[in-house]
Amino acid sequence: MIEHVNNLEELQAATKEGKVLVDFFATWCGPCKMIAPVLEQLDADPSFEAKIVKVDVDEATDAAMAFKVQAIPTLLLFVDGKATKSLLGFQRKDQIVDFVK
């Protein structure tokens, strides 16, 4: 189940342990709408190695600012609470799987 967080505190709690893929998005963003079903497919795949968390940049401005998100969609990979790498823009399923490995 994809988790939605609404502020920096919730994001920090959600990314504290393990691999977490965070999708910074906005409801009005076209590429964000395109990546949403890809993330839902990955979330339903038991072999996918990360929990997925979504952050609406219009609602959680503190979280977006804390991680200097300037373009959406932005995917950040967290490992045990630390942001380790990022991807910008729409990504195919195979690109996201490779990114998380």
Side-chain angles (χ1 to χ4, degrees):
M1 177 98 180
I2 295 176
E3 182 178 348
H4 291 257
V5 299
N6 299 309
N7 57 51
L8 179 58
E9 187 177 328
E10 290 178 9
L11 178 60
Q12 290 170 327
T15 58
K16 192 183 289 189
E17 293 179 7
K19 281 188 182 180
V20 182
L21 180 66
V22 178
D23 173 30
F24 287 89
F25 77 101
T27 56
W28 48 264
C29 164
C32 300
K33 291 177 185 176
M34 292 169 51
I35 205 169
V38 175
L39 295 174
E40 288 169 15
Q41 288 175 11
L42 289 169
D43 187 56
D45 182 349
S47 69
F48 187 62
E49 299 176 12
K51 175 172 92 170
I52 299 174
V53 173
K54 293 181 73 76
V55 179
D56 184 331
V57 297
D58 291 330
E59 300 292 325
T61 54
D62 61 340
M65 288 175 25
F67 293 99
K68 298 176 176 57
V69 173
Q70 297 181 339
I72 50 174
T74 292
L75 298 177
L76 286 182
L77 181 65
F78 285 78
V79 178
D80 296 328
K82 292 190 167 78
T84 59
K85 53 186 177 175
S86 65
L87 273 177
L88 298 177
F90 174 78
Q91 304 294 321
R92 296 185 322 266
K93 184 177 176 181
D94 61 318
Q95 291 171 308
I96 297 172
V97 169
D98 288 344
F99 174 71
V100 168
K101 286 189 177 175

